[in-house]
Amino acid sequence: QQQVKQSPQSLIVQKGGISIINCAYENTAFDYFPWYQQFPGKGPALLIAIRPDVSEKKEGRFTISFNKSAKQFSLHIMDSQPGDSATYFCAAGSAGANNLFFGTGTRLTVIP
Amino acid sequence: KAGVTQTPRYLIKTRGQQVTLSCSPISGHRSVSWYQQTPGQGLQFLFEYFSETQRNKGNFPGRFSGRQFSNSRSEMNVSTLELGDSALYLCASSLGSVGDTQYFGPGTRLTVL
């Protein structure tokens, strides 16, 4: 059973456009929601994370929007660049444990 | 500060064999978690070690085991390899408190023939 559902599976965006990736979860015990970026041949790298006490967090061109009542969160990449082309994973974890539940990933391609 | 290192980076084994993978965490990190990444199942949590003790365990068979040494380095062992064990095995280290940011290594690509 997939604890975190992620969509879309792939995304193609023009340079300068906005990339939006969505995730949904069921377990209300989750209270930590990180996004990871993975390039081919590399391990995932933490991009940005949010806890449920805020509805939005912004770091540079990356913004997480969090809707606790809907149990959904999303990643927005503003002014997308070709260097952003990678696979993005959302994840969820709870304060009681250090294991993260990952979404299935979104392969983002930014066209110059 | 050096990142998480994993050795070897690539490994080819045959069914029935066993394999040991190694992970050296970031200096000062006391928690090491292991994940399996496959195209079909994505990233799945295997187990976490903290202060040489398994603190958390995912839903994998007993063929998958691990340990952690006093210097926080960790090893993962898979016995009686199956074709389905072919995957990228990632380890992640964190300071140790639950909820701390996990930093991933580059992974070990295991191919089982």
Side-chain angles (χ1 to χ4, degrees):
Chain A
Q1 183 186 0
Q2 195 70 32
Q3 297 246 15
V4 179
K5 292 182 169 58
Q6 182 173 348
S7 63
Q9 190 172 359
S10 63
L11 184 60
I12 299 174
V13 173
Q14 293 276 0
K15 178 184 175 182
I18 302 173
S19 304
I20 302 174
I21 305 171
N22 300 300
C23 285
Y25 64 97
E26 287 297 324
N27 190 342
T28 55
F30 289 149
D31 61 0
Y32 174 62
F33 303 91
W35 284 88
Y36 281 84
Q37 179 190 57
Q38 186 177 28
F39 292 103
K42 304 284 188 182
L46 179 68
L47 201 57
I48 186 172
I50 197 169
R51 295 194 185 269
D53 52 343
V54 296
S55 60
E56 187 175 283
K57 182 175 181 180
K58 183 176 180 178
E59 288 184 1
R61 296 185 294 109
F62 302 92
T63 300
I64 298 179
S65 297
F66 183 78
N67 186 329
K68 188 174 181 178
S69 60
K71 292 185 283 187
Q72 295 175 346
F73 58 110
S74 60
L75 175 70
H76 291 63
I77 306 175
M78 313 300 287
D79 188 26
S80 298
Q81 299 297 312
D84 297 331
S85 297
T87 299
Y88 292 80
F89 293 92
C90 62
S94 63
N98 241 359
N99 56 313
L100 293 173
F101 293 90
F102 283 84
T104 48
T106 296
R107 179 172 288 185
L108 172 65
T109 303
V110 182
I111 300 171
Chain B
K1 189 181 278 190
V4 178
T5 57
Q6 293 187 243
T7 57
R9 292 293 312 278
Y10 303 91
L11 208 47
I12 299 175
K13 292 285 187 179
T14 56
R15 278 182 300 174
Q17 287 187 307
Q18 75 164 15
V19 67
T20 299
L21 313 181
S22 180
C23 173
S24 292
I26 292 171
S27 178
H29 284 194
R30 296 171 61 196
S31 166
V32 173
S33 297
W34 288 89
Y35 291 82
Q36 181 194 65
Q37 185 175 25
T38 60
Q41 300 296 319
L43 276 149
Q44 292 185 289
F45 173 77
L46 280 153
F47 31 65
E48 181 210 4
Y49 285 86
F50 175 77
S51 291
E52 302 177 65
T53 301
Q54 188 179 85
R55 184 160 69 174
N56 204 354
K57 186 178 188 304
N59 191 25
F60 276 81
R63 299 186 297 108
F64 292 83
S65 63
R67 60 177 175 168
Q68 186 179 34
F69 302 94
S70 58
N71 62 357
S72 295
R73 189 177 71 85
S74 177
E75 287 182 347
M76 190 191 97
N77 184 275
V78 188
S79 62
T80 320
L81 284 166
E82 300 177 359
L83 294 178
D85 297 333
S86 295
L88 181 67
Y89 290 90
L90 294 156
C91 85
S93 77
S94 67
L95 285 169
S97 296
V98 174
D100 281 339
T101 298
Q102 295 187 39
Y103 297 87
F104 282 83
T108 293
R109 172 73 64 183
L110 172 65
T111 302
V112 182
L113 302 176

